[in-house]
Amino acid sequence: MTLTQQDIDQEIAAARAAYGKRIADGGPVEHQPRRDYPPYRSSALRHPKQPPVTIDVTQDPELVELHSPAFGERDVTEIDNDLTRQHHGDPIGERITVSGRLLDRDGRPVRGQLVEIWQANSAGRYAHRREQHDAPLDPNFTGVGRTLTDDGGRYRFTTVQPGPYPWRQHLNAWRPAHIHFSLFGSAFAQRLVTQMYFPGDPLLPYDPILQSVTDDAARQRLVATYDHALSVPEFSMGYHWDIVLDGPRATWIEEGR
């Protein structure tokens, strides 16, 4: 039997009600989603079911990590954070500026960290050989960028508004517009990955990936805020999104996926 969006919506509602009951019964706030979240069918064969393997790094540190950032300060060029300037022509779509701060649990800036992004183009298609969506490619948009946080923990990207796209988990399944973020710590093995969404997107309530973050406050922390001060006159709209690495206001990270 083919799953429909209505089936998924009912499962999302049931999971939210079950979480509400756990909270009412004195359970803890769940900032991170459960790995076996039923409406997110695609994660069933992807998330680990066994505990992490402990490696004795005193015997051979190279078994665990490569020293990072993967790209040092000299390797990040002045246009790597501007996805609209990486080709000879202009990409198609609404230009946007995305900026924010990388913070620790106490709100202190995390400096000099490599931040990478990747996203679909304005038609909702990734520039990837395994992409199956038949939306048009944009020869002037690759959809990847990188930058280093400054002394205030700030990052900044110029790009185009990504489009939504179908993902075939269930009938008429569409992912809301989003940008993937990758964050590196002091070592390669500390890499964290998350996603940023856009305010007012009508697809947000229907997406089981976003809705797997069942706690309302934690889920809202994945949605950027329109910031008129970040908008560049006659060029781009501005969005602000802070990333908190730990603590009660931590940003959801794709841990274990």
Side-chain angles (χ1 to χ4, degrees):
M1 179 179 176
T2 302
L3 281 171
T4 66
Q5 183 64 55
Q6 184 178 12
D7 296 326
I8 297 299
D9 291 346
Q10 291 174 350
E11 292 183 0
I12 289 173
R16 184 175 295 123
Y19 174 64
K21 185 177 186 305
R22 291 195 296 273
I23 293 294
D25 291 341
V29 174
E30 299 175 12
H31 300 285
Q32 298 288 333
R34 297 193 166 197
R35 291 176 176 172
D36 58 351
Y37 182 72
Y40 185 9
R41 294 290 198 281
S42 300
S43 69
L45 299 178
R46 296 169 57 191
H47 69 74
K49 296 179 174 61
Q50 301 297 327
V53 175
T54 301
I55 298 176
D56 186 357
V57 297
T58 62
Q59 298 298 317
D60 185 359
E62 298 302 324
L63 288 174
V64 167
E65 62 188 30
L66 300 174
H67 295 290
S68 75
F71 300 98
E73 185 173 349
R74 291 174 298 178
D75 299 308
V76 179
T77 74
E78 64 177 7
I79 65 169
D80 280 356
N81 69 333
D82 190 341
L83 284 66
T84 69
R85 296 171 56 200
Q86 297 173 353
H87 298 273
H88 293 299
D90 294 327
I92 298 172
E94 174 193 340
R95 290 174 296 214
I96 60 174
T97 297
V98 179
S99 183
R101 301 178 73 198
L102 183 61
L103 305 169
D104 68 12
R105 66 180 298 140
D106 297 317
R108 296 173 298 198
V110 183
R111 306 172 178 87
Q113 302 302 294
L114 180 67
V115 181
E116 297 179 325
I117 64 170
W118 68 96
Q119 64 170 90
N121 65 19
S122 60
R125 182 166 178 173
Y126 289 97
H128 192 282
R129 68 181 63 185
R130 297 183 63 184
E131 173 66 273
Q132 299 178 345
H133 187 21
D134 63 357
L137 283 169
D138 186 341
N140 294 311
F141 189 75
T142 306
V144 295
R146 60 187 181 181
T147 191
L148 294 171
T149 57
D150 65 14
D151 287 343
R154 289 179 290 270
Y155 71 86
R156 185 183 182 95
F157 289 99
T158 301
T159 183
V160 299
Q161 173 77 27
Y165 57 83
W167 64 301
R168 301 181 180 179
Q169 179 196 248
H170 53 274
L171 183 64
N172 204 23
W174 288 82
R175 291 235 57 213
H178 60 279
I179 298 177
H180 300 266
F181 276 72
S182 169
L183 315 166
F184 285 89
S186 60
F188 187 84
Q190 296 174 358
R191 184 188 186 217
L192 302 174
V193 176
T194 186
Q195 299 179 22
M196 185 203 86
Y197 297 85
F198 293 88
D201 191 323
L203 290 173
L204 296 181
Y206 302 102
D207 181 47
I209 297 179
L210 175 61
Q211 295 299 322
S212 69
V213 185
T214 312
D215 184 76
D216 290 339
R219 187 172 60 255
Q220 188 58 41
R221 291 197 290 271
L222 295 175
V223 182
T225 302
Y226 173 71
D227 188 337
H228 199 69
L230 286 175
S231 297
V232 180
E234 301 183 35
F235 182 80
S236 68
M237 302 276 279
Y239 292 92
H240 181 93
W241 190 56
D242 288 340
I243 305 169
V244 182
L245 295 177
D246 194 12
R249 294 191 58 79
T251 304
W252 169 66
I253 302 295
E254 296 180 12
E255 180 182 359
R257 293 192 182 277

